[in-house]
Structures are given as C-alpha cells and as structure tokens.
Amino acid sequence: MKHISIGGLDVSRIGLGAMSMAGYYNIGAGSDAESIRTIHRAFELGVTHLDTAEIYGPYINEELVGRAIRGCRDQVVLATKFGLVSHASGGPGVLDSSPANIRVAIEGSLKRLGTDHIDLYYQHRVDPNTPIEDTVGALAELVAEGKVRYLGLSEAGPATIRRAHATHPIAALQTEYSLWTRDPELELLPLLRELGIGFVPYSPLGHGFLTGEIRSPEQLSDDDWRKTNPRFTGENFQRNLRIVDEVKAVAAEVGATPAQIALAWLLAQGDDIAPIPGTKRVARVEENTAADRIALSAGQIERLNKLTPAVGERHDEGNMAIIGR
C-alpha cells in the first residue's frame, strides 16, 4: 500500500472508515467479531489509517475500535471526532464544540479507544455557537499536552477553514467526495492545496451506490438511513444509475469492480487525497484496498470526469443545514 502525507501526517493512501460497524447501514447480518476481523485484515493489507467518532453508536464504535487495535496501537494512525455530542446538556446529536465539552469528549474517546493519544482529532461539524478560534485554541492545548497529534475539520466551509488554520495548523479536512459528489473541486480543493491541508474523502463509494450492487431502493432495509437520502429516492435513484453504468463499463475494460474504479479515480485526483471507504466485511476491505494497484488511462479518467453529476442533495435537509459552515 502506498503512503501519502496529509498535512504532515503519514497515512496509507486508502484508509478504513468504521462507521458502518456501529449499525449506520443495515446491510445484513454482522457482528463485532467480523468487524474486528475486517480491521485486522485491513492492517495486514497495509492500511494504517482508521477513522471513527464518538457519535457512532454513540460510543460503541470507539469501544470496538479500541478492542481491535489492542496490541497494535503503534501501527495505526487513529482518527476520531468530537462535537456531535453535548456532554453538558442535550447529549448525542447536539452540536457542542465549546472548550469545556472538548475536555470531556477527549477523555471519553481516549478511554474507549484504550490509548493515551489521538493521531488525528476532528471537529465533526462546525458549532455556530462557539467561535472556531475558541474551539481550535482548546484543541491546541490538547496538542501541547500530547493527547492529540494533529487537528482536523469535517464538513467545514472555506472561511472557517482559513480562520481555524490561522489559529493552529489544520492537517486534514474530511468531506464527502466521490464520482457522484464533486462539490469540493470548486472551492475546497484549491483552498486546501493553498494551505497545505490534506483531504480525507468520506463515502468515496457514494454510500454504496457506486459499487453497482444497489439497483433498486427496495434492496435497502426499511431502517437503512439511505431510504430517506434524496439520491436514493424516486426518480433521482433511477437517474443516478447512469453514473453507475458508466463506472461499470470502465470496470469491465480494466478487469476491476466498480468500487475499485471509483476509488482509483479518486486517488488519481491528487497525492494529497486519502479516502476512507467504510465497510464491516473482510471481502470488501480486500476489494477496496486493491484499488491502490489500479492505474486508469488518461482517457478513462476523462470519461469519468465528464459523468453527469448526481441528482438530489447528498444528505437530507437537516444534515445539509449543518454542512459547509
């Protein structure tokens, strides 16, 4: 597995997102044991970058990751996130990036993960009630204390990124980016490259859509959150299948899977991009990491670049309201 630098932090070019291991996608029977096997298999394949968050579960995902990395902590670039759980009032789902809340959050994450430091600590969503300078100032104290090595932001807007980076260097921005979410190319990518901030795309397979295996919304369980995602509903779903069909055509030419093509395209966008496809299946992590060995031709990249953008917002109205602040 090749490695790259994101804001000075060395990571495997393809990482592993652990969110689905906390049940955010109902994609059939699974277990903590299978999830841990998946994490261990990822390490065997050269993955060093593992991403979780306190809100996943909440809390249980960090606990699972903590069990998985026991005995091999030094091999892992461990990323987690705070800010979507208010520990003083409101609980899970309430934005809180106040310095006091950060202090409680970091201690909980360290305990659940079984470690004395977090390699990459993200603000999960921008808190409009706390100036970003106050949030990053509190995080800078954690860096000075050795509890955090590098700082990150998730789904922050350009102005916030600039202000945060001026307070303390930001190593990485995590935002959705894939063949069906091209929004970051307009403003975010140029800004990140100007400031020397790495880019960590989440959902690089379009919440599973780009694997080509979901051909109808009826394939999703009723309690799968994608049932309410605008891109997975009604006419939008059918129109978005055209993106998948072109990805499948390129995959047939290369002798790869659609998921591998989607990841290979993303890797071709720059050596400062480190996607974190999520899975809780050993077979999937083997498939995803193999994308590191796929080289698309200039013509194939151009064909994929010209794909019609996905139809529909990438999240529901409530989630879209807290993105890009």
Side-chain angles (χ1 to χ4, degrees), residues 69-132:
I69 65 173
R70 196 171 296 148
C72 58
R73 172 65 182 93
D74 292 343
Q75 300 172 228
V76 185
V77 174
L78 184 59
T80 193
K81 312 176 198 74
F82 70 91
L84 274 176
V85 179
S86 177
H87 295 279
S89 61
V94 176
L95 294 172
D96 190 346
S97 287
S98 64
N101 197 63
I102 290 170
R103 282 286 170 182
V104 177
I106 186 65
E107 296 303 330
S109 289
L110 290 172
K111 182 178 180 179
R112 288 185 291 271
L113 291 163
T115 186
D116 63 357
H117 71 281
I118 305 299
D119 295 301
L120 180 54
Y121 200 38
Y122 290 96
Q123 180 191 41
H124 209 154
R125 293 291 185 272
V126 174
D127 175 8
N129 298 314
T130 305
I132 193 64

Side-chain angles (χ1 to χ4, degrees), residues 221-240:
S221 303
D222 289 341
D223 57 353
D224 189 316
W225 73 270
R226 290 172 292 185
K227 279 278 194 177
T228 60
N229 183 287
R231 295 185 178 180
F232 282 83
T233 58
E235 287 187 8
N236 289 353
F237 187 100
Q238 297 304 318
R239 292 171 67 183
N240 288 333

Side-chain angles (χ1 to χ4, degrees), residues 171-243:
L173 176 75
Q174 187 171 139
T175 296
E176 187 173 352
Y177 182 36
S178 70
L179 277 169
W180 83 338
T181 300
R182 305 283 295 277
D183 315 43
E185 294 173 350
L186 185 61
E187 279 190 278
L188 285 180
L189 266 174
L191 173 62
L192 299 181
R193 286 167 176 163
E194 173 194 334
L195 299 177
I197 298 173
F199 190 21
V200 178
Y202 74 84
S203 295
L205 301 178
H207 309 296
F209 200 96
L210 295 173
T211 66
E213 296 189 6
I214 306 172
R215 303 297 298 184
S216 166
E218 283 64 48
Q219 290 176 250
L220 304 177
S221 303
D222 289 341
D223 57 353
D224 189 316
W225 73 270
R226 290 172 292 185
K227 279 278 194 177
T228 60
N229 183 287
R231 295 185 178 180
F232 282 83
T233 58
E235 287 187 8
N236 289 353
F237 187 100
Q238 297 304 318
R239 292 171 67 183
N240 288 333
L241 284 176
R242 292 178 296 185
I243 299 173

Side-chain angles (χ1 to χ4, degrees), residues 53-73:
E54 66 171 357
I55 190 63
Y56 298 162
Y59 312 129
I60 59 173
N61 195 248
E62 286 187 326
E63 292 170 354
L64 183 148
V65 168
R67 294 197 301 274
I69 65 173
R70 196 171 296 148
C72 58
R73 172 65 182 93

